[in-house]
Amino acid sequence: MITMKDIIEEGHPTLRSVAEPVEFPLSDELRKTALEMHEFLVNSQNEEIAEKYDLRPGVGLAAPQINVNKQIFAVHIMEYDEEGNEVGPILSEIIFNPKVISHSVQQVALKEGEGCLSVNREVKGYVPRPKRVKFTYQDIDGNEHTLKLRDYEAIVTQHELDHLKGIFFYDHINEENPFAQDDNLELL
Ligand SMILES: O=CN(O)C[C@@H](CC1CCCC1)C(=O)N1NCCC[C@H]1C(=O)Nc1ccccn1
Ligand code: NI
């Protein structure tokens, strides 16, 4: 299983490189790695397992973060009710060879900013990203899909898409004024 020691940190060259496309059918090894990436996210959001294996809860994980320079990322975004009980998956998928088709001019950013499991420090500031994004990808069996996402799901997905291009979230933060706002930016 993947644990925090498998996640490489900023400074490692893989995190600043462009990931390779994935060939289908997947090798058994790459299939296993992709499933383990998704399993890591599920485990990291499970209190007992996260506690037992000292996992930082995550909603997304890109293959370069475990030093696999392939165009793969997993996302696991769950809906919770007010008591914090899981209601169901909002988006839970393993994405291969994603291609952005279009995105909105309108931008969104998380009020609390972003973090990254590969960045062990806080970097304050808004990370402006397109509010809506449409992209195609292949699933673990190589089938093509098209997905249109908005708001939080779009932010998570674009954070992962950036990792496949060697981009960190803080590359998008306005250096002069990290909390700069304009009427094209909606804070979530
Ligand atoms: O590339 C992928 N990463 O670096 C893991 C990141 C991805 C998200 C950061 C902002 C958008 C995507 C991640 O998940 N986090 N960033 C660092 C610590 C917190 C953690 C997080 O937001 N956890 C979370 C949130 C809601 C529910 C459960 N867990
Ligand atoms: Ni990250």
Side-chain angles (χ1 to χ4, degrees), residues 11 22-24 45 47 49 51 73 84 86 89 102 105 129 132-133 136 142 160 165 167 180:
V22 172
E23 310 278 317
F24 283 91
Q45 292 181 35
E47 257 178 58
I49 302 177
E51 170 95 25
F73 65 81
E86 257 184 27
S102 61
V105 171
R129 298 184 185 278
R132 286 180 300 282
V133 63
T136 62
E160 306 314 329
K165 294 185 289 185
I167 296 168

Side-chain angles (χ1 to χ4, degrees), residues 45 56-60 65 114-117 152 155-156 159-160 163:
Q45 292 181 35
R56 275 179 86 189
V59 285
Q65 291 183 277
E114 293 187 17
C116 181
L117 293 179
Y152 186 66
I155 289 172
V156 173
H159 176 111
E160 306 314 329
H163 276 307

Side-chain angles (χ1 to χ4, degrees), residues 90-110:
I90 292 175
L91 179 65
S92 186
E93 185 61 89
I94 310 175
I95 304 277
F96 299 79
N97 300 329
K99 290 182 189 62
V100 174
I101 305 293
S102 61
H103 60 73
S104 62
V105 171
Q106 169 77 28
Q107 297 194 310
V108 290
L110 293 175

Side-chain angles (χ1 to χ4, degrees), residues 36-174:
E36 284 181 332
M37 287 167 58
H38 186 262
E39 180 203 42
F40 167 81
L41 297 176
V42 176
N43 288 342
S44 76
Q45 292 181 35
N46 174 303
E47 257 178 58
E48 295 82 56
I49 302 177
E51 170 95 25
K52 181 173 180 187
Y53 294 100
D54 193 24
L55 308 179
R56 275 179 86 189
V59 285
L61 187 69
Q65 291 183 277
I66 54 169
N67 202 18
V68 172
N69 215 6
K70 291 282 183 185
Q71 293 178 18
I72 309 171
F73 65 81
V75 288
H76 187 60
I77 306 171
M78 301 301 283
E79 184 183 354
Y80 295 90
D81 64 20
E82 47 282 345
E83 284 99 47
N85 306 311
E86 257 184 27
V87 173
I90 292 175
L91 179 65
S92 186
E93 185 61 89
I94 310 175
I95 304 277
F96 299 79
N97 300 329
K99 290 182 189 62
V100 174
I101 305 293
S102 61
H103 60 73
S104 62
V105 171
Q106 169 77 28
Q107 297 194 310
V108 290
L110 293 175
K111 266 199 201 77
E112 71 272 15
E114 293 187 17
C116 181
L117 293 179
S118 295
V119 177
N120 291 327
R121 61 195 171 97
E122 185 177 17
V123 185
K124 295 181 189 301
Y126 298 144
V127 181
R129 298 184 185 278
K131 178 180 175 65
R132 286 180 300 282
V133 63
K134 178 178 177 183
F135 64 103
T136 62
Y137 69 92
Q138 287 171 276
D139 64 21
I140 199 160
D141 300 316
N143 304 314
E144 282 278 343
H145 298 265
T146 301
L147 206 46
K148 288 168 76 172
L149 299 174
R150 62 178 14 200
D151 298 336
Y152 186 66
E153 295 85 74
I155 289 172
V156 173
T157 300
Q158 292 176 99
H159 176 111
E160 306 314 329
L161 281 165
D162 274 354
H163 276 307
L164 305 187
K165 294 185 289 185
I167 296 168
F168 282 107
F169 70 91
Y170 51 73
D171 297 341
H172 301 289
I173 296 175
N174 182 313

